[in-house]
Amino acid sequence: MKKFFNINIIILAVFSLFVWLPLAMIAGGSFMSGDEFQESLSPVFEEGDSENMAKWNIIPKYPTLRPYVEVLIDSPGFFVMFWNTCKIVFPVLAGQLLICVPAAWGFARYDFRFKNTLLLLYMVLMLMPFQVTMVSNYLVLDRLKLINTHMGIILPAVFSTFPVFIMYSFFRSVPISMIEAAEIDGAGELEIFIYIGLPMGAPGIVSIIVLGFMEYWSIIEPPLIFLKDKSLWPLSLFMPDIASGSGGLYLAASVLMIIPSMLVFLFGKKYLEKGIRAAGLKE
């Protein structure tokens, strides 16, 4: 049994290496000078140099902070896009908590006409990729005069069906006996929701915050289509706007963009694990 356990650890360690190796290459490459970057990848970019193989040093030979200086000091647009991202992500998360969490409680707590039909519709909308609803979203936002505004990105995301699906699963696991006991003690519907539903669904709430942050922090397609003015673009569109040949700048911007998502994930990791266990709670 112990030998089998050791084999599992080795296998997991190998797969973890494959996951972390690209991140290590990005982090190391962000400290490369332009000459070293060009030398490492010259067989890829230069025609007729097929005899040599491209190489990559995880630890640069001559590390430099120049790429980070270019991003943080010489590129003021980086901070503008960073602030634009914050103005999109945080209102989206706040709106989802205010709208999707009570909606999920209503689906889980009450029986009403066409409930199953609405749930099925939610599932269908959740499975649809953005490309399917892109035209209809554009027409609606254009009619509401929200094209080329941050609200045109925020409003559709606030009414996303995915957070409702997650919280519905959590609220369905709340024991009925606990709700009935609260009703016998004279608790109203709002009190049950606040003092029983929200604490029991706390792992799910943290889960949708973490998953929502990682999704909308790196959102690309909606702002690329709905935002015409580059001054409104989020940080996710900063890297595609970097001129070709600026490999170090691109990698440095990638590292700076990944850091907030990693911090949020590491903070919410234990809550995600609790959420998975809580989803299996039975009465």
Side-chain angles (χ1 to χ4, degrees), residues 94-224:
Q96 288 182 349
L97 292 179
L98 291 175
I99 294 176
C100 297
V101 173
W105 175 259
F107 276 117
R109 177 77 175 86
Y110 305 109
D111 291 323
F112 50 87
R113 289 187 64 185
F114 306 115
K115 172 183 174 179
N116 294 332
T117 303
L118 287 175
L119 281 175
L120 178 61
L121 180 61
Y122 265 64
M123 299 303 104
V124 172
L125 292 175
M126 184 182 67
L127 296 175
M128 283 186 178
F130 171 75
Q131 293 81 359
V132 175
T133 59
M134 177 179 62
V135 175
S136 58
N137 284 343
Y138 188 92
L139 294 175
V140 172
L141 294 175
D142 184 58
R143 182 64 64 89
L144 296 175
K145 308 298 182 184
L146 294 178
I147 295 295
N148 201 34
T149 65
H150 286 150
M151 188 57 65
I153 309 297
I154 296 171
L155 194 60
V158 165
F159 293 94
S160 174
T161 58
F162 184 62
V164 177
F165 172 75
I166 292 180
M167 293 308 304
Y168 173 77
S169 301
F170 280 96
F171 288 147
R172 288 284 293 178
S173 66
V174 176
I176 299 298
S177 58
M178 185 179 297
I179 297 178
E180 291 176 347
E183 291 175 340
I184 293 175
D185 290 338
E189 293 295 334
L190 182 60
E191 293 174 318
I192 293 175
F193 173 66
I194 294 176
Y195 295 107
I196 296 180
L198 292 182
M200 294 289 291
I205 294 175
V206 177
S207 298
I208 64 175
I209 292 176
V210 173
L211 296 175
F213 183 91
M214 292 191 294
E215 177 183 359
Y216 295 106
W217 186 262
S218 58
I219 190 171
I220 292 180
E221 291 179 330
L224 189 61

